[in-house]
Amino acid sequence: MSDRSSSEASSLNPERKRKLVPLRSTSSDETVASLSRNRWEQLRQHVLPVSNRSHTSPTLVLPSGDPQTPLPSFKTSLQKPSRLALLGFRHVVEHVKEADETRKVSQEFEKVCWSIRMADPQKFRTDLNITASSSHRTLPSNTSLASDGTSVVERHSHVQTEHDLRRPQSVQSLKTYRIPLTVKPLYQLLLHHSTPSMERTATSVILPHESLVLSTLMSPFLSTEESQRLDEERWNAIEAFEIIMRSWAPDNEGKGVERFLWCCKAATIPPGAMRTRILSILWGLIIPGDNNYVISTPECFQTLARGLFSLLPQLQPLSSSLIAHEEIPFLMDVISQVRDGCCGELEAHVLQEEYGANFSEKDDKDLIREVILLEALSRCLEDCPNNSRVWLLQYVEHYWIRGPAETKFTPLLLAIYTRTLDTLSRALLDILFVPLDQGASLEGAQHVARLVQSRLIPDIELLGNAVKPEAKMNIVKVVLELSCMDRAIEPVQWGLSLLHTWYRGPSVWRSHLDLTLQEIASTPFSVSHVHVDTLYGLDIQEYLVKCDLQTFNSDQTSS
């Protein structure tokens, strides 16, 4: 009984129980916790920078031996976050904020531009989404409105809303209810974002929606009417454009060319202080300086040159003022600066891709720019308005390059020059078919005859097979057309004499003359058939009759 009671007493003794159990339970808990911490430390090694890995706690190694041996306890203190990690996180947060701010600014510019370009863009876009069935929608009756407990004001607003849901307005109605055009909100927005503030320490590097902004600023210059309010809007547009120049650099080469073209288009207004201001801005953009934009591709170089050549006829002096007569020499000086390379050098690999010829050490960069400028003038003659073609034609010889008789052509220079001759031959032929008054028509015929006689025919004969057959046939058509013109005595005499030489004597032009005549004869009711009687003494009439008979027989056989 004593043993039994002692055993029961020992089992009920709390002190003895604390001595036996806690050793194993505490050590096992610490082991599990240490293993868990060890796994987290390993995971942190993949997240923290390399420089911070030496500051992490060591890996816990379990000792071998008696499982009853108490394990060492490690007191791991909470480490402070790494400074580099905080800086990295801050950089990510700032980058996200900057991206969000850029998106908001972009949306703000887009909203302001479209609000200027149309009277009420939100209403206009809503109307475009309304289907045709909404135009027949009936309005709720007064009884139904009263039963809903709506007031008179609410009823009127509801009726107005239903009225807005009708079919989209026509173009005439949009013009009638259009808010008067003003670019002042865009000017204020540009001024706001170009000026640093406490919240915005610096402006964005790139102007959002620059093409849309420049197009919106061009709107006041497209109107033909003259008024004081329109002049104020144009001045606001010019000042806004100058803010863009000072605050934002163009995103790429094409954006810089768009700024050049904006000045060229804006300068088409009547002469005065405003046009002088625009031309001075154009000079500041092109001439080397802080705002000079580099042009390294032939495409952008030609685009700029065509813009300058298109502006040249618009600066014709309409009065006897000294300023009006100085603008054309001023613009020609700008074109000369571009030809001399003030906008930078053209890249060799881009030239090779554009013209399909290798750039060699023998190539003269100045001569290549000159021939590309001549090609741009040829394309401008082909595309510009009819009333500007004849006036611009007188400047072709001024920008002509040294021909193959004066310099040795490299493969790259030959490829550019032959393309220029092809384009110019089409442009000259188009000018002769332009419906102009008698004085302009005679002036154009004289310029064309002089260019063909002094420049095109000699260079084409020297280059030989390098020139496309289409260009040679265009020259033959030009000579034929000049021979058939009324009241153009000198061009007609020269054309008839040249045709006689080609048709009677041995010439490289005879085969192209035959092909051209066959093409003319195979075309029914050709313009040149009407003037066949003027080609006297060449026996071409008999040749055309033979071609007509052959064409008639072939048509009858095929039918």
Side-chain angles (χ1 to χ4, degrees):
M1 292 293 293
S2 60
D3 296 338
R4 187 176 181 181
S5 60
S6 61
S7 61
E8 291 178 357
S10 61
S11 61
L12 296 175
N13 191 354
E15 296 181 358
R16 194 171 183 179
K17 185 177 182 180
R18 283 196 299 268
K19 292 180 181 178
L20 295 175
V21 179
L23 180 61
R24 291 188 178 180
S25 60
T26 304
S27 62
S28 60
D29 294 341
E30 290 181 356
T31 303
V32 174
S34 300
L35 290 175
S36 179
R37 285 195 298 269
N38 186 25
R39 294 192 189 97
W40 280 111
E41 290 296 334
Q42 291 179 356
L43 291 176
R44 289 178 72 247
Q45 297 298 321
H46 297 282
V47 179
L48 291 177
V50 179
S51 60
N52 295 335
R53 293 182 183 180
S54 60
H55 300 286
T56 58
S57 60
T59 306
L60 179 64
V61 180
L62 295 176
S64 60
D66 188 6
Q68 299 266 333
T69 305
L71 298 175
S73 61
F74 296 94
K75 295 182 179 180
T76 57
S77 60
L78 294 176
Q79 296 182 355
K80 295 182 179 180
S82 173
R83 185 175 182 181
L84 294 177
L86 290 177
L87 291 176
F89 181 73
R90 185 181 302 172
H91 176 72
V92 172
V93 173
E94 291 177 355
H95 180 71
V96 173
K97 289 183 178 179
E98 183 180 355
D100 185 64
E101 183 67 21
T102 302
R103 180 183 58 83
K104 291 180 179 178
V105 172
S106 177
Q107 293 177 352
E108 191 174 4
F109 272 101
E110 185 179 13
K111 181 179 180 181
V112 171
C113 288
W114 282 113
S115 64
I116 294 174
R117 295 172 69 92
M118 58 179 59
D120 191 353
Q122 200 67 29
K123 178 177 179 296
F124 182 75
R125 292 176 183 177
T126 304
D127 289 342
L128 289 179
N129 296 328
I130 303 302
T131 56
S133 60
S134 62
S135 61
H136 303 286
R137 186 174 300 176
T138 57
L139 297 179
S141 61
N142 295 334
T143 306
S144 61
L145 290 176
S147 62
D148 294 337
T150 56
S151 61
V152 178
V153 177
E154 293 174 344
R155 188 183 309 167
H156 177 73
S157 62
H158 186 76
V159 172
Q160 183 67 26
T161 304
E162 290 291 337
H163 176 73
D164 291 341
L165 292 177
R166 294 185 179 182
R167 65 177 178 84
Q169 298 177 351
S170 63
V171 177
Q172 296 296 332
S173 61
L174 285 175
K175 289 183 178 179
T176 304
Y177 296 101
R178 182 173 182 176
I179 300 176
L181 174 67
T182 176
V183 296
K184 197 170 183 179
L186 182 56
Y187 165 76
Q188 294 174 347
L189 183 63
L190 290 169
L191 185 62
H192 170 71
H193 287 285
S194 63
T195 306
S197 61
M198 297 297 294
E199 298 82 4
R200 187 183 61 260
T201 58
T203 59
S204 58
V205 180
I206 301 173
L207 177 64
H209 300 286
E210 181 171 343
S211 299
L212 180 61
V213 171
L214 294 180
S215 177
T216 306
L217 293 178
M218 180 56 59
S219 302
F221 299 93
L222 301 179
S223 178
T224 56
E225 60 183 20
E226 297 295 332
S227 62
Q228 183 178 0
R229 181 183 175 279
L230 185 61
D231 290 341
E232 293 178 356
E233 294 299 329
R234 289 175 176 176
W235 281 116
N236 291 333
I238 294 174
E239 293 177 0
F241 182 77
E242 290 181 330
I243 293 175
I244 295 175
M245 287 173 45
R246 294 191 302 265
S247 305
W248 292 278
D251 185 17
N252 49 46
E253 190 172 323
K255 298 295 183 182
V257 174
E258 286 184 6
R259 299 187 182 186
F260 291 134
L261 296 181
W262 190 92
C263 295
C264 294
K265 295 177 182 178
T268 57
I269 58 177
M274 190 180 300
R275 189 162 80 176
T276 304
R277 173 81 169 273
I278 297 173
L279 292 177
S280 65
I281 296 174
L282 180 62
W283 174 271
L285 288 176
I286 293 179
I287 304 306
D290 297 335
N291 295 326
N292 183 241
Y293 307 143
V294 178
I295 295 179
S296 59
T297 60
E299 181 181 1
C300 292
F301 184 86
Q302 282 198 31
T303 304
L304 171 59
R306 291 174 64 179
L308 295 174
F309 283 127
S310 300
L311 176 60
L312 198 59
Q314 306 297 328
L315 302 183
Q316 300 180 53
L318 303 178
S319 61
S320 58
S321 62
L322 182 61
I323 298 179
H325 287 272
E326 289 179 349
E327 289 178 344
I328 290 181
F330 171 83
L331 185 59
M332 292 183 66
D333 189 15
V334 174
I335 297 175
S336 300
Q337 296 285 343
V338 174
R339 181 186 58 185
D340 295 339
C342 69
C343 296
E345 298 293 341
L346 300 177
E347 296 181 359
H349 70 279
V350 183
L351 291 171
Q352 295 175 7
E353 295 176 358
E354 178 68 21
Y355 296 100
N358 294 328
F359 183 89
S360 63
E361 297 180 354
K362 298 180 180 180
D363 283 307
D364 186 0
K365 295 182 179 180
D366 296 336
L367 188 58
I368 287 178
R369 279 196 305 270
E370 291 177 7
V371 69
I372 294 178
L373 186 74
L374 181 61
E375 182 185 3
L377 177 56
S378 303
R379 294 185 180 275
C380 187
L381 282 173
E382 194 175 14
D383 301 332
C384 67
N386 295 334
N387 55 357
S388 301
R389 289 185 178 185
V390 176
W391 190 89
L392 192 59
L393 192 60
Q394 60 182 324
Y395 293 97
V396 174
E397 290 187 90
H398 181 77
Y399 294 101
W400 203 274
I401 67 168
R402 300 186 302 272
E406 303 174 8
T407 183
K408 186 177 181 180
F409 274 34
T410 61
L412 178 59
L413 185 60
L414 180 62
I416 303 174
Y417 191 60
T418 52
R419 182 188 293 189
T420 303
L421 293 177
D422 187 21
T423 305
L424 189 58
S425 64
R426 291 196 309 268
L428 296 181
L429 185 61
D430 292 340
I431 289 176
L432 295 179
F433 284 99
V434 170
L436 299 172
D437 54 61
Q438 184 176 352
S441 180
L442 293 177
E443 183 181 359
Q446 293 175 358
H447 288 305
V448 170
R450 184 168 58 252
L451 277 175
V452 172
Q453 182 181 4
S454 61
R455 297 292 185 178
L456 273 75
I457 290 180
D459 290 353
I460 290 176
E461 290 177 352
L462 288 174
L463 296 176
N465 295 329
V467 183
K468 293 182 178 181
E470 291 80 4
K472 297 178 181 179
M473 292 183 63
N474 288 333
I475 296 300
V476 172
K477 293 177 182 178
V478 167
V479 176
L480 285 172
E481 200 64 33
L482 287 174
S483 304
C484 302
M485 293 192 68
D486 297 331
R487 300 182 181 181
I489 301 176
E490 295 181 0
V492 168
Q493 292 179 353
W494 171 79
L496 290 174
S497 176
L498 186 61
L499 287 174
H500 185 274
T501 302
W502 289 350
Y503 191 78
R504 289 298 183 182
S507 174
V508 295
W509 295 93
R510 174 59 190 268
S511 60
H512 300 288
L513 178 61
D514 293 340
L515 293 174
T516 304
L517 292 176
Q518 291 177 9
E519 180 181 346
I520 293 174
S522 60
T523 304
F525 303 106
S526 175
V527 177
S528 298
H529 280 70
V530 181
H531 303 282
V532 168
D533 55 343
T534 62
L535 304 179
Y536 55 88
L538 302 180
D539 293 337
I540 296 182
Q541 304 95 321
E542 181 181 355
Y543 181 84
L544 290 175
V545 171
K546 291 180 180 179
C547 291
D548 284 335
L549 290 176
Q550 293 176 1
T551 305
F552 178 76
N553 292 331
S554 62
D555 293 341
Q556 292 296 326
T557 304
S558 60
S559 60

